[in-house]
Amino acid sequence: MNSHTVRNLLVRGMLAGLGAGVLALIVAYLLGEPRVDAAIAFEEGHSHEHGEELVSRTLQSTAGLATGVLVYGIALGGIAALAYCFALGRTGRFGPRATALLLSGAALLAVYVVPFLKYPANPPSVGDPGTIGRRTLLYFLMMLLSVLLAVAAVVAGKQLAPRLGNWNATLVAGLGYLLVIGVGYALLPAVNEVPEDFSASLLWQFRVAALAIQLTLWVSFGLIFGHLAERQLLPRSAARPAAVPAAD
């Protein structure tokens, strides 16, 4: 793949990330922000310290939220587009759209779902401020382990395929990934700092909303980028059926 094609795919990836970010922003505003407000109300009702608010809650939930989600989407799109350039043609007989969806699904699982199952998202008022550095480090260690193991599983699957066949090699590599992830789950310390009187339903709703945001972001990116990548990589003449010559 030449540099011109890579550059075009990178631009399309960032545009797809922006579009996916807009959709994720809508989900975040409709599902996530009401739960954040409820968690903040809980915190204010149980805390005797009320410091001066540097940034208003209204600004946080509108312009601040939009800036964070859209910048994240654009950055995600650029990184995913570069990974797509490497993966295209190396994942079997998948076309541009299928490769984009496959990459997005794998990234969703490795980057977010697997770390989320060990260290799920928590709303404000959940967690000791003194342990935020430790909790952040543990989460990123889990994410790094998941991503590296996912890459190792793909490499192992390709090496085993000639001997075991594609299906068996995929099963062996996948089971190996799950086994090592399970060991990581067992070895890394658990974090449970949810207050006893915090609403279990609110905690559940917040975590479902966080998962829905990421699901929207990654799936919509795969669909949008797959469409844009196909238009870039496949000649227009190949996308249209050949004209049938008129009979004499």
Side-chain angles (χ1 to χ4, degrees):
M1 186 178 294
N2 58 52
S3 59
H4 178 71
T5 301
V6 172
R7 183 171 61 252
N8 286 337
L9 288 174
L10 177 61
V11 172
R12 283 163 172 76
M14 296 174 71
L15 289 174
L18 177 61
V22 171
L23 297 176
L25 175 61
I26 295 173
V27 176
Y29 186 78
L30 296 177
L31 295 183
E33 287 304 307
R35 278 74 192 180
V36 173
D37 288 337
I40 291 175
F42 172 87
E43 185 178 28
E44 291 177 347
H46 289 73
S47 176
H48 300 291
E49 299 180 2
H50 300 283
E52 182 180 355
E53 193 174 44
L54 299 178
V55 180
S56 69
R57 175 64 190 140
T58 301
L59 184 60
Q60 293 175 15
S61 62
T62 53
L65 177 66
T67 301
V69 173
L70 295 181
V71 170
Y72 178 77
I74 293 171
L76 174 152
I79 296 172
L82 294 177
Y84 177 86
C85 293
F86 177 80
L88 189 63
R90 295 182 172 90
T91 55
R93 298 179 180 179
F94 293 103
R97 289 199 187 199
T99 301
L101 282 173
L102 181 64
L103 179 65
S104 296
L108 172 64
L109 290 174
V111 175
Y112 188 78
V113 173
V114 170
F116 178 88
L117 293 176
K118 175 65 177 178
Y119 301 114
N122 288 325
S125 76
V126 173
D128 181 3
T131 64
I132 187 171
R134 175 176 175 270
R135 287 184 281 120
T136 302
L137 177 62
L138 288 172
Y139 180 84
F140 279 104
L141 280 176
M142 190 71 245
M143 181 190 297
L144 180 63
L145 177 64
S146 176
V147 171
L148 291 178
L149 287 175
V151 173
V154 172
V155 174
K158 289 184 67 66
Q159 291 180 345
L160 292 173
R163 287 181 291 171
L164 303 180
N166 290 333
W167 178 255
N168 291 332
T170 301
L171 285 178
V172 171
L175 289 174
Y177 171 82
L178 293 176
L179 177 63
V180 181
I181 284 295
V183 173
Y185 276 11
L187 294 180
L188 288 174
V191 175
N192 185 12
E193 299 179 351
V194 180
E196 293 183 1
D197 55 347
F198 191 84
S199 171
S201 62
L202 176 57
L203 180 63
W204 170 256
Q205 291 169 7
F206 179 86
R207 290 176 174 174
V208 170
L211 188 59
I213 293 167
Q214 292 292 328
L215 183 64
T216 301
L217 183 69
W218 286 99
V219 172
S220 57
F221 171 78
L223 292 171
I224 297 171
F225 181 65
H227 172 70
L228 296 177
E230 185 177 67
R231 293 185 62 182
Q232 166 67 27
L233 296 171
L234 297 183
R236 294 183 180 180
S237 58
R240 295 195 304 264
V244 178
D248 295 334

